[in-house]
Amino acid sequence: MKTKIFSIITLLFISINVSAQIDRTKMPESGPAPKINIGTPKKFTLKNGLQVLVVENHKLPRVSVTLDIDNKPMAFGDKAGIEGFVGGLLGTGSTNISKDDFDKEVDYLGANIGFGAQSAYASSLSKYFPRVLELMADAAFNPVFSQEEFDKQMKQALDGIKSSQNSVAAIAGQVDRALTYGKDHPYGEITTETTLKNISLQDVKDLYDKIFKPNNAYLVVIGDVEFADVKKQITKLFSDWQPAVMTPVTLPEVTNPATTEINFINMPNAVQSEVAIISVVDLKMTDKDYYATLLANQILGGGGTGRLYKNLREDKGYTYGAYSGVGASRYASRFKASASVRNMVTDSAVVEAMKEINTVRYQKATQQELDIAKAKYLGNFVKAVERPSTIAGYALSILQNNLPEDYYENYLKNINAVTLDDVQNAAIKYFRGDKARIVITGKGIDVLKNLEKTDYVIKYFDKEGNPTDKPAMTLPIPDGMTAEKVVNKYLEAIGGKDKVMDVKTTLMIANATIQGTPLVMTMKASSPNKSSQEIAVMGNVMQKTVFDGTKGYSEARGQKMEMQPDQIAEAKSGNAIFSDLAYTTGELVRIEPLEGKNAIVLKYNDTEVFYDMASGLKVKEVKTVKTPDGKEIKTPTVFSDYKAVNGIMFPHSIMIKSGPMNLDFVIKEIKVNEGVSDADFK
């Protein structure tokens, strides 16, 4: 026993000594990237140009096959959307089997067969695969383009267009592509009711004959098959597929704006804004900075560890998620950072997202951020290579993108080789915060006022990406709404008309500061129209206005001015305590967003009064006065912080905008039916 105890103590002592020699404040250095052995599919090519890749995997008795026709992208102009009909009508039976019989057999075999305009897919149990592949080939090469099926799909397509017109996300997606690439580019054209109605069944047949060819086609088979057997079957089924001379396609040039701008699409039904910051990139998988660009994007917006997510969601709470992505393409691609945010924080979200984009460009990321980004890519890559579909996908990517044969075998090494300098250089090159489109799809009346305060030029577009005018910033008055109803709702909100009419006098004392100097404003009123207001600075009355019900005056800096007839008439016409009592004869002019809420605006003489539509409370007044030289000056007064005094709700915060200055008065005392006498109005 003593020997065992001694051995344990010795081992413990050794382990402590070893631990003491390890500096645990430093992250261990990464070892060399593991060697990944990417499996190689078996390949063969038919005389018609069809290239076939086969990945045998006998773990499960299932097989899938994918046909990919890799033609250059095409735009269809006034027939945009036609490619959807090609894919939709393929698979509706063939000249050898009716649609009903085709569907029944596919269901009986437990298989899936689907088509796109330039693709096909099928999967099934391996014992049924020969027949499933035969059905797919038959439907692909002997299609039945019937008028009946065409009409059905036309109705579905038109219904889909109509239903998407109110989807903010759908409109945002189609318009931001149109603005990025241009409406004449295959990636940017928009399918509309008009373009769909331009399409005939013959157009669909002609397009199929033009593009569904083996010249640039790849057939990928994955699963429980024997190469020799599947090669024999594919040769039999696909050899008669005739190639054609393909029409050369020239793609329009895609560019970024000269300077960053806001592109706004108005959606009156939007309850949140879709914000996307987009710049065109010319990035290919063969570029030296491809891996650095992937990691730069991961640091910026590649999930929950990205800066966009941490800022806009975790820190600010503007959204449920904010992400970015960057594409690599032989033709055209883009960088896009996006989020769905609350209307009232749309402008703030833009500012914060642009800040993060510019920060990752002009300040180096931390080593920890780069290590996390690398770990993400390495982990995903290692997991992916365990799937047979990955082997086929990588092999297809090598062929289509003209990559070196060992491209994916060196993937981990290339990721690990990226430095912080590489990341910053890639961000500067591809994340063009200085030449970006900030595409915002949202409710203009709620968000434009604040967006106009940013430094960006705002351009307006409709749902089809066409330039348009700035949307109206008001809402119509609801049917049946009157000034009297608005005022009555306000009176109920502050305590009820009966309590209001019981108020005969009020005394209010408010404090404010101007350029660090304290002010005291004392306001006295007696029903119906006697009023007195004085402003004191450091105990000295600097300004005073008095009306005794018949006449009045203003006094400032020792000079006294009697009220003019028009001023007397105005003072007599209103109620000195509750001016709103006179507004029942006013005019309702509009509904306008105000601080994230809708306010109904009532005009009475030269004053516009804003009432919160939900609470009924008065939130603002804007008085218009003319200067001696005929210019109009608007003086806003904002009311907030309502509190009850003797059962009546009074605003305890009053902000008066006077030229470039704001006077923020805080009510310190309110007395109702006490503290006021006729002597106060002399």
Side-chain angles (χ1 to χ4, degrees), residues 31-86:
K35 179 68 175 177
I36 298 294
N37 184 21
I38 304 294
T40 303
K42 297 177 181 178
K43 306 174 187 176
F44 66 94
T45 303
L46 299 182
K47 292 181 180 180
N48 58 14
L50 175 65
Q51 298 185 58
V52 184
L53 292 79
V54 180
V55 178
E56 292 186 32
N57 184 279
H58 303 287
K59 292 181 179 180
L60 293 173
R62 296 199 62 83
V63 187
S64 67
V65 58
T66 302
L67 175 66
D68 180 15
I69 303 174
D70 189 30
N71 292 328
K72 199 170 185 178
M74 296 175 59
F76 300 101
D78 63 355
K79 297 182 189 293
I82 186 174
E83 67 276 20
F85 289 94
V86 176

Side-chain angles (χ1 to χ4, degrees), residues 5 19 23 75 101 126 177 191 221 251 313 338 402 424 436 469 521-522 550 563 568 644 651 655 672:
I5 294 173
S19 299
D23 186 354
D101 289 343
S126 51
R177 288 190 299 272
T191 301
V221 180
L251 298 179
R313 173 173 173 158
S338 60
N402 195 28
Q424 184 177 13
D469 296 327
M521 180 169 65
T522 303
T550 304
M563 282 188 175
I568 292 173
M655 188 276 285
V672 176

Side-chain angles (χ1 to χ4, degrees), residues 130-389:
R131 176 55 180 162
V132 170
L133 183 61
E134 185 179 7
L135 286 170
M136 186 187 89
D138 186 28
F141 304 139
N142 304 296
V144 178
F145 292 120
S146 71
Q147 188 67 47
E148 180 183 4
E149 285 296 328
F150 174 79
D151 292 341
K152 286 181 183 178
Q153 294 203 18
M154 176 63 75
K155 183 180 184 305
Q156 291 173 358
L158 291 171
D159 289 344
I161 291 290
K162 291 177 182 177
S163 64
S164 69
Q165 289 304 295
N166 291 323
S167 169
V168 179
I171 295 298
Q174 74 175 18
V175 177
D176 76 37
R177 288 190 299 272
L179 296 176
T180 301
Y181 299 108
K183 294 178 67 176
D184 57 345
H185 193 283
Y187 297 162
E189 66 178 2
I190 293 178
T191 301
T192 67
E193 286 190 48
T194 301
T195 65
L196 288 177
K197 290 177 179 178
N198 288 335
I199 300 168
S200 68
L201 178 58
Q202 188 60 49
D203 292 328
V204 178
K205 294 178 180 178
D206 292 343
L207 181 61
Y208 166 80
D209 290 336
K210 180 179 180 180
I211 65 174
F212 210 88
K213 297 298 179 182
N215 301 49
N216 304 305
Y218 302 87
L219 191 69
V220 181
V221 180
I222 305 169
D224 185 24
V225 294
E226 297 293 337
F227 177 74
D229 295 339
V230 79
K231 180 179 180 180
K232 181 178 179 181
Q233 186 181 15
I234 289 173
T235 302
K236 176 183 176 182
L237 294 174
F238 289 83
S239 290
D240 291 339
W241 190 12
Q242 294 301 308
V245 177
M246 305 302 290
T247 304
V249 176
T250 302
L251 298 179
E253 183 182 4
V254 180
T255 59
N256 288 313
T259 58
T260 298
E261 64 187 35
I262 291 177
N263 296 165
F264 189 82
I265 303 97
N266 185 44
M267 292 287 287
N269 65 310
V271 296
Q272 59 183 8
S273 298
E274 298 292 329
V275 177
I277 301 169
I278 301 169
S279 58
V280 176
V281 300
D282 181 14
L283 178 65
K284 298 177 178 58
M285 294 179 69
T286 51
D287 291 341
K288 291 182 179 179
D289 53 8
Y290 172 70
Y291 298 97
T293 307
L294 295 182
L295 294 172
N297 177 73
Q298 181 67 30
I299 290 168
L300 174 64
T305 60
R307 294 180 180 181
L308 290 171
Y309 188 97
K310 289 180 177 178
N311 184 333
L312 272 67
R313 173 173 173 158
E314 294 185 359
D315 183 33
K316 304 297 190 306
Y318 292 162
T319 178
Y320 284 113
Y323 309 96
S324 65
V326 61
S329 170
R330 291 166 286 167
Y331 307 115
S333 193
R334 61 184 182 169
F335 161 76
K336 178 178 178 179
S338 60
S340 301
V341 303
R342 291 178 287 120
N343 287 350
M344 67 183 298
V345 298
T346 300
D347 59 312
S348 301
V350 168
V351 170
E352 292 300 322
M354 288 298 295
K355 182 186 76 174
E356 295 298 347
I357 291 170
N358 287 321
T359 299
V360 81
R361 296 182 74 211
Y362 298 121
Q363 294 180 18
K364 286 184 183 179
T366 66
Q367 187 62 49
Q368 183 181 22
E369 286 179 310
L370 180 56
D371 291 341
I372 291 172
K374 287 182 178 181
K376 174 77 171 179
Y377 269 94
L378 298 179
N380 288 343
F381 182 83
V382 171
K383 286 190 293 184
V385 296
E386 297 175 358
R387 298 188 294 268
S389 59

Side-chain angles (χ1 to χ4, degrees), residues 85-147:
F85 289 94
V86 176
L89 292 176
L90 287 172
T92 56
S94 74
T95 55
N96 299 312
I97 183 171
S98 69
K99 180 180 185 300
D100 287 344
D101 289 343
F102 182 89
D103 291 342
K104 286 178 182 177
E105 186 168 2
V106 170
D107 287 343
Y108 175 76
L109 296 174
N112 290 309
I113 298 179
F115 291 88
Q118 301 181 74
S119 64
Y121 171 82
S123 66
S124 71
L125 292 173
S126 51
K127 65 180 179 179
Y128 300 133
F129 179 69
R131 176 55 180 162
V132 170
L133 183 61
E134 185 179 7
L135 286 170
M136 186 187 89
D138 186 28
F141 304 139
N142 304 296
V144 178
F145 292 120
S146 71
Q147 188 67 47

Side-chain angles (χ1 to χ4, degrees), residues 638-657:
V638 178
F639 307 95
S640 61
D641 192 22
Y642 277 81
K643 297 177 183 178
V645 179
N646 287 18
I648 304 290
M649 300 291 288
F650 289 92
H652 280 62
S653 178
I654 301 174
M655 188 276 285
I656 302 172
K657 187 171 181 62

Side-chain angles (χ1 to χ4, degrees), residues 388-406:
S389 59
T390 299
I391 300 172
Y394 287 167
L396 184 59
S397 178
I398 288 171
L399 292 173
Q400 292 180 331
N401 293 286
N402 195 28
L403 303 175
E405 287 293 330
D406 60 354

